[in-house]
């Protein structure tokens, strides 16, 4: 089973921005809701944002008004634009369907220095 391929992470200062990208593997239905998740060093994986196939987006409260999820349907890529980053956003970020129905990729690490 193919995995999602996440990229775009890095080290950024608090207040900075990053854009994460996720290549959606073949076999994921076009009608699937896609989302981003994250896992901090001492926490369980948590949901961050979702985007339906009709482009309705939802966010966890902690990232609302700072993060934006979007998709390029032609390229089958999902993005997460992260602005005004905070140290508590430090985590490994993953994408998958919502609810989770596929294998996670390796994720992409985001480190926000304070």
């Amino acid at each position: 089973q193919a995995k999602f391929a996440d990229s775009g992470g890095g080290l950024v200062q608090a207040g900075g921005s990053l854009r994460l990208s996720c290549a959606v593997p073949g076999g994921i239905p076009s009608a699937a809701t896609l989302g981003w998740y994250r896992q901090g060093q001492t926490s369980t994986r948590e949901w961050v944002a979702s985007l339906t196939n009709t482009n309705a987006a939802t966010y966890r409260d902690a990232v609302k008004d700072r993060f934006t999820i979007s998709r390029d349907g032609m390229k089958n890529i999902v993005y997460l634009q992260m602005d005004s980053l905070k140290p508590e956003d430090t985590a490994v970020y993953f994408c998958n369907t919502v609810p989770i129905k596929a294998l996670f990729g390796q994720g992409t690490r985001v480190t926000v220095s304070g």
Side-chain angles (χ1 to χ4, degrees):
Q1 187 176 4
K3 297 180 181 180
F4 290 85
D6 321 287
S7 63
L11 173 63
V12 64
Q13 291 186 336
S17 298
L18 283 173
R19 189 177 81 155
L20 307 184
S21 299
C22 169
V24 180
I28 300 297
S30 59
T33 294
L34 298 172
W36 284 93
Y37 301 80
R38 67 185 180 186
Q39 184 167 13
Q41 198 165 9
T42 58
S43 63
T44 57
R45 189 173 290 162
E46 63 184 18
W47 165 81
V48 175
S50 302
L51 187 68
T52 70
N53 66 324
T54 57
N55 285 326
T58 54
Y59 303 91
R60 71 182 299 112
D61 287 346
V63 307
K64 205 171 291 184
D65 299 325
R66 298 188 299 120
F67 289 12
T68 304
I69 186 171
S70 62
R71 69 199 297 173
D72 182 331
M74 294 294 292
K75 297 179 181 178
N76 222 12
I77 296 176
V78 180
Y79 301 100
L80 186 67
Q81 176 67 40
M82 306 187 297
D83 299 317
S84 302
L85 282 161
K86 303 176 180 180
E88 51 263 44
D89 295 319
T90 295
V92 179
Y93 285 72
F94 307 82
C95 64
N96 208 309
T97 55
V98 179
I100 297 167
K101 294 183 179 178
L103 295 175
F104 280 98
Q106 292 186 334
T108 186
R109 183 174 299 278
V110 172
T111 302
V112 184
S113 63

